[in-house]
Amino acid sequence: GAVVSQHPSWVICKSGTSVKIECRSLDFQATTMFWYRQFPKQSLMLMATSNEGSKATYEQGVEKDKFLINHASLTLSTLTVTSAHPEDSSFYICSARERVNTEAFFGQGTRLTVV
Amino acid sequence: RKEVEQDPGPFNVPEGATVAFNCTYSNSASQSFFWYRQDCRKEPKLLMSVYSSGNEDGRFTAQLNRASQYISLLIRDSKLSDSATYLCVVKLPPKFYFGSGTKLNVKP
């Protein structure tokens, strides 16, 4: 199947700093990318949907100024967690889809720990 | 009401057992349905899509009941390696909605 690469796989940062997570589609052009967050023992919660070249659409309750999403090319989307706090510690996963009716493939996830 | 609901389990079964998971969805306009498997601290991986006519892939059988808005996953002859969390996923374009997952523990 298609490959989506997410980097880094884990990161520890100090409270107040910003962290950037990259999501790349390696063998297809991702017109749409999704960013999810998963807290322990909970399901994946959609944070935002981004279409290449457009502003991301954020889910209710997700602060767009705190979670900056950039989808500048068909193979790369980034999520920047700005001014991270311990409550932002979570597992962040991206998924990418080529077209509307195609399957979405997941990146490996990024485990963020804010200390 | 959540878009997708699943029994969180855990389901503890012996090797060789048959186990079934159900999942209900709230929006009748949902278009596509999937079962994903997620191992601890890993990303979800597609196990199988679910078609209206039902479909089978080896030991795994998925069924969809649109009238009652539920989907099911049946695992026959459980293996130790089947231990994981199984996520029910419903696509209501452009979004995918995830259930909270059902944890399966297969014991020797």
PDB file of all heavy atoms in Angstrom, chain B residues 7 14 16 21 34-35 43-44 57 64 69 77 85 91 93 99 107-108:
ATOM      1  N   ASP B   7     -17.957  -1.080  21.757  1.00  0.00           N
ATOM      2  CA  ASP B   7     -17.713  -1.618  23.090  1.00  0.00           C
ATOM      3  C   ASP B   7     -16.204  -1.618  23.297  1.00  0.00           C
ATOM      4  O   ASP B   7     -15.480  -2.216  22.506  1.00  0.00           O
ATOM      5  CB  ASP B   7     -18.270  -3.045  23.172  1.00  0.00           C
ATOM      6  CG  ASP B   7     -18.070  -3.680  24.535  1.00  0.00           C
ATOM      7  OD1 ASP B   7     -17.260  -3.167  25.335  1.00  0.00           O
ATOM      8  OD2 ASP B   7     -18.732  -4.695  24.803  1.00  0.00           O
ATOM      9  N   PRO B  14      -9.447 -17.285  24.491  1.00  0.00           N
ATOM     10  CA  PRO B  14      -8.340 -18.226  24.308  1.00  0.00           C
ATOM     11  C   PRO B  14      -8.004 -18.366  22.828  1.00  0.00           C
ATOM     12  O   PRO B  14      -8.849 -18.097  21.950  1.00  0.00           O
ATOM     13  CB  PRO B  14      -8.912 -19.527  24.876  1.00  0.00           C
ATOM     14  CG  PRO B  14     -10.379 -19.411  24.667  1.00  0.00           C
ATOM     15  CD  PRO B  14     -10.716 -17.953  24.798  1.00  0.00           C
ATOM     16  N   GLY B  16      -7.727 -19.800  19.300  1.00  0.00           N
ATOM     17  CA  GLY B  16      -8.649 -20.686  18.601  1.00  0.00           C
ATOM     18  C   GLY B  16     -10.107 -20.282  18.714  1.00  0.00           C
ATOM     19  O   GLY B  16     -10.951 -20.805  17.984  1.00  0.00           O
ATOM     20  N   PHE B  21     -16.988  -8.408  17.078  1.00  0.00           N
ATOM     21  CA  PHE B  21     -17.111  -7.030  17.555  1.00  0.00           C
ATOM     22  C   PHE B  21     -18.205  -6.334  16.765  1.00  0.00           C
ATOM     23  O   PHE B  21     -18.344  -6.561  15.572  1.00  0.00           O
ATOM     24  CB  PHE B  21     -15.816  -6.235  17.307  1.00  0.00           C
ATOM     25  CG  PHE B  21     -14.584  -6.886  17.824  1.00  0.00           C
ATOM     26  CD1 PHE B  21     -13.436  -6.914  17.043  1.00  0.00           C
ATOM     27  CD2 PHE B  21     -14.534  -7.455  19.074  1.00  0.00           C
ATOM     28  CE1 PHE B  21     -12.280  -7.505  17.510  1.00  0.00           C
ATOM     29  CE2 PHE B  21     -13.386  -8.042  19.547  1.00  0.00           C
ATOM     30  CZ  PHE B  21     -12.249  -8.070  18.758  1.00  0.00           C
ATOM     31  N   PHE B  34     -14.954   0.798   7.546  1.00  0.00           N
ATOM     32  CA  PHE B  34     -13.680   0.081   7.603  1.00  0.00           C
ATOM     33  C   PHE B  34     -13.451  -0.457   8.997  1.00  0.00           C
ATOM     34  O   PHE B  34     -13.954   0.084   9.986  1.00  0.00           O
ATOM     35  CB  PHE B  34     -12.518   1.040   7.271  1.00  0.00           C
ATOM     36  CG  PHE B  34     -12.711   1.853   6.027  1.00  0.00           C
ATOM     37  CD1 PHE B  34     -13.350   3.081   6.067  1.00  0.00           C
ATOM     38  CD2 PHE B  34     -12.244   1.394   4.807  1.00  0.00           C
ATOM     39  CE1 PHE B  34     -13.532   3.838   4.927  1.00  0.00           C
ATOM     40  CE2 PHE B  34     -12.418   2.147   3.656  1.00  0.00           C
ATOM     41  CZ  PHE B  34     -13.064   3.365   3.718  1.00  0.00           C
ATOM     42  N   TRP B  35     -12.625  -1.481   9.065  1.00  0.00           N
ATOM     43  CA  TRP B  35     -12.050  -1.913  10.331  1.00  0.00           C
ATOM     44  C   TRP B  35     -10.545  -1.697  10.246  1.00  0.00           C
ATOM     45  O   TRP B  35      -9.897  -2.111   9.284  1.00  0.00           O
ATOM     46  CB  TRP B  35     -12.344  -3.390  10.610  1.00  0.00           C
ATOM     47  CG  TRP B  35     -13.740  -3.635  11.083  1.00  0.00           C
ATOM     48  CD1 TRP B  35     -14.789  -4.093  10.352  1.00  0.00           C
ATOM     49  CD2 TRP B  35     -14.242  -3.428  12.402  1.00  0.00           C
ATOM     50  NE1 TRP B  35     -15.911  -4.178  11.128  1.00  0.00           N
ATOM     51  CE2 TRP B  35     -15.608  -3.780  12.397  1.00  0.00           C
ATOM     52  CE3 TRP B  35     -13.680  -2.983  13.610  1.00  0.00           C
ATOM     53  CZ2 TRP B  35     -16.422  -3.712  13.536  1.00  0.00           C
ATOM     54  CZ3 TRP B  35     -14.482  -2.909  14.742  1.00  0.00           C
ATOM     55  CH2 TRP B  35     -15.837  -3.267  14.703  1.00  0.00           C
ATOM     56  N   GLU B  43       0.523   3.335  14.789  1.00  0.00           N
ATOM     57  CA  GLU B  43      -0.550   3.930  14.019  1.00  0.00           C
ATOM     58  C   GLU B  43      -1.575   2.863  13.611  1.00  0.00           C
ATOM     59  O   GLU B  43      -1.241   1.692  13.509  1.00  0.00           O
ATOM     60  CB  GLU B  43       0.008   4.633  12.767  1.00  0.00           C
ATOM     61  CG  GLU B  43       0.377   3.740  11.603  1.00  0.00           C
ATOM     62  CD  GLU B  43       1.725   3.090  11.744  1.00  0.00           C
ATOM     63  OE1 GLU B  43       2.272   3.064  12.867  1.00  0.00           O
ATOM     64  OE2 GLU B  43       2.231   2.601  10.730  1.00  0.00           O
ATOM     65  N   PRO B  44      -2.810   3.257  13.371  1.00  0.00           N
ATOM     66  CA  PRO B  44      -3.813   2.300  12.891  1.00  0.00           C
ATOM     67  C   PRO B  44      -3.455   1.802  11.504  1.00  0.00           C
ATOM     68  O   PRO B  44      -2.916   2.544  10.687  1.00  0.00           O
ATOM     69  CB  PRO B  44      -5.104   3.125  12.836  1.00  0.00           C
ATOM     70  CG  PRO B  44      -4.841   4.342  13.649  1.00  0.00           C
ATOM     71  CD  PRO B  44      -3.385   4.595  13.556  1.00  0.00           C
ATOM     72  N   ASP B  57     -11.966 -12.102   4.532  1.00  0.00           N
ATOM     73  CA  ASP B  57     -10.550 -12.118   4.185  1.00  0.00           C
ATOM     74  C   ASP B  57      -9.880 -13.088   5.158  1.00  0.00           C
ATOM     75  O   ASP B  57      -9.571 -12.726   6.295  1.00  0.00           O
ATOM     76  CB  ASP B  57      -9.951 -10.712   4.314  1.00  0.00           C
ATOM     77  CG  ASP B  57      -8.495 -10.668   3.917  1.00  0.00           C
ATOM     78  OD1 ASP B  57      -7.941 -11.726   3.520  1.00  0.00           O
ATOM     79  OD2 ASP B  57      -7.886  -9.592   3.997  1.00  0.00           O
ATOM     80  N   LEU B  64     -22.047  -5.424   7.115  1.00  0.00           N
ATOM     81  CA  LEU B  64     -22.636  -4.097   7.243  1.00  0.00           C
ATOM     82  C   LEU B  64     -24.143  -4.225   7.218  1.00  0.00           C
ATOM     83  O   LEU B  64     -24.689  -4.906   6.356  1.00  0.00           O
ATOM     84  CB  LEU B  64     -22.167  -3.208   6.092  1.00  0.00           C
ATOM     85  CG  LEU B  64     -22.919  -1.893   5.860  1.00  0.00           C
ATOM     86  CD1 LEU B  64     -22.753  -0.952   7.040  1.00  0.00           C
ATOM     87  CD2 LEU B  64     -22.437  -1.233   4.567  1.00  0.00           C
ATOM     88  N   GLN B  69     -27.745   0.362  10.995  1.00  0.00           N
ATOM     89  CA  GLN B  69     -26.568   1.216  11.150  1.00  0.00           C
ATOM     90  C   GLN B  69     -25.540   0.585  12.081  1.00  0.00           C
ATOM     91  O   GLN B  69     -25.093   1.215  13.056  1.00  0.00           O
ATOM     92  CB  GLN B  69     -26.977   2.629  11.606  1.00  0.00           C
ATOM     93  CG  GLN B  69     -27.780   3.347  10.536  1.00  0.00           C
ATOM     94  CD  GLN B  69     -28.179   4.775  10.895  1.00  0.00           C
ATOM     95  OE1 GLN B  69     -29.098   5.324  10.332  1.00  0.00           O
ATOM     96  NE2 GLN B  69     -27.500   5.376  11.839  1.00  0.00           N
ATOM     97  N   ASP B  77     -10.841 -18.617  14.734  1.00  0.00           N
ATOM     98  CA  ASP B  77      -9.564 -19.252  15.041  1.00  0.00           C
ATOM     99  C   ASP B  77      -8.528 -18.211  15.498  1.00  0.00           C
ATOM    100  O   ASP B  77      -7.451 -18.061  14.895  1.00  0.00           O
ATOM    101  CB  ASP B  77      -9.049 -20.015  13.799  1.00  0.00           C
ATOM    102  CG  ASP B  77      -7.851 -20.880  14.106  1.00  0.00           C
ATOM    103  OD1 ASP B  77      -7.663 -21.254  15.266  1.00  0.00           O
ATOM    104  OD2 ASP B  77      -7.075 -21.149  13.162  1.00  0.00           O
ATOM    105  N   THR B  85      -6.048  -3.530  19.365  1.00  0.00           N
ATOM    106  CA  THR B  85      -7.304  -2.775  19.457  1.00  0.00           C
ATOM    107  C   THR B  85      -7.871  -2.634  18.059  1.00  0.00           C
ATOM    108  O   THR B  85      -7.149  -2.276  17.125  1.00  0.00           O
ATOM    109  CB  THR B  85      -7.063  -1.393  20.083  1.00  0.00           C
ATOM    110  OG1 THR B  85      -6.607  -1.564  21.427  1.00  0.00           O
ATOM    111  CG2 THR B  85      -8.351  -0.574  20.106  1.00  0.00           C
ATOM    112  N   LYS B  91     -16.735   6.610   7.146  1.00  0.00           N
ATOM    113  CA  LYS B  91     -16.413   7.763   6.315  1.00  0.00           C
ATOM    114  C   LYS B  91     -17.686   8.507   5.959  1.00  0.00           C
ATOM    115  O   LYS B  91     -18.601   7.940   5.353  1.00  0.00           O
ATOM    116  CB  LYS B  91     -15.699   7.309   5.052  1.00  0.00           C
ATOM    117  CG  LYS B  91     -15.242   8.450   4.168  1.00  0.00           C
ATOM    118  CD  LYS B  91     -14.451   7.897   2.993  1.00  0.00           C
ATOM    119  CE  LYS B  91     -14.048   8.991   2.034  1.00  0.00           C
ATOM    120  NZ  LYS B  91     -13.315   8.442   0.874  1.00  0.00           N
ATOM    121  N   PRO B  93     -17.897  11.769   4.001  1.00  0.00           N
ATOM    122  CA  PRO B  93     -16.987  12.704   3.322  1.00  0.00           C
ATOM    123  C   PRO B  93     -17.189  14.150   3.733  1.00  0.00           C
ATOM    124  O   PRO B  93     -18.325  14.599   3.906  1.00  0.00           O
ATOM    125  CB  PRO B  93     -17.347  12.511   1.841  1.00  0.00           C
ATOM    126  CG  PRO B  93     -17.793  11.084   1.773  1.00  0.00           C
ATOM    127  CD  PRO B  93     -18.551  10.885   3.070  1.00  0.00           C
ATOM    128  N   GLY B  99     -14.249   4.978  15.908  1.00  0.00           N
ATOM    129  CA  GLY B  99     -14.736   4.502  17.184  1.00  0.00           C
ATOM    130  C   GLY B  99     -13.600   4.502  18.182  1.00  0.00           C
ATOM    131  O   GLY B  99     -12.432   4.685  17.819  1.00  0.00           O
ATOM    132  N   LYS B 107      -5.340 -15.175  24.563  1.00  0.00           N
ATOM    133  CA  LYS B 107      -4.464 -15.823  25.545  1.00  0.00           C
ATOM    134  C   LYS B 107      -4.122 -17.239  25.092  1.00  0.00           C
ATOM    135  O   LYS B 107      -4.935 -17.901  24.442  1.00  0.00           O
ATOM    136  CB  LYS B 107      -5.176 -15.885  26.902  1.00  0.00           C
ATOM    137  CG  LYS B 107      -5.771 -14.564  27.358  1.00  0.00           C
ATOM    138  CD  LYS B 107      -4.909 -13.886  28.356  1.00  0.00           C
ATOM    139  CE  LYS B 107      -5.590 -12.641  28.889  1.00  0.00           C
ATOM    140  NZ  LYS B 107      -4.614 -11.619  29.217  1.00  0.00           N
ATOM    141  N   PRO B 108      -2.933 -17.707  25.450  1.00  0.00           N
ATOM    142  CA  PRO B 108      -2.555 -19.088  25.074  1.00  0.00           C
ATOM    143  C   PRO B 108      -3.449 -20.104  25.794  1.00  0.00           C
ATOM    144  O   PRO B 108      -3.983 -19.842  26.856  1.00  0.00           O
ATOM    145  CB  PRO B 108      -1.108 -19.217  25.560  1.00  0.00           C
ATOM    146  CG  PRO B 108      -0.693 -17.897  26.046  1.00  0.00           C
ATOM    147  CD  PRO B 108      -1.872 -16.976  26.124  1.00  0.00           C
TER     148      PRO B 108
END
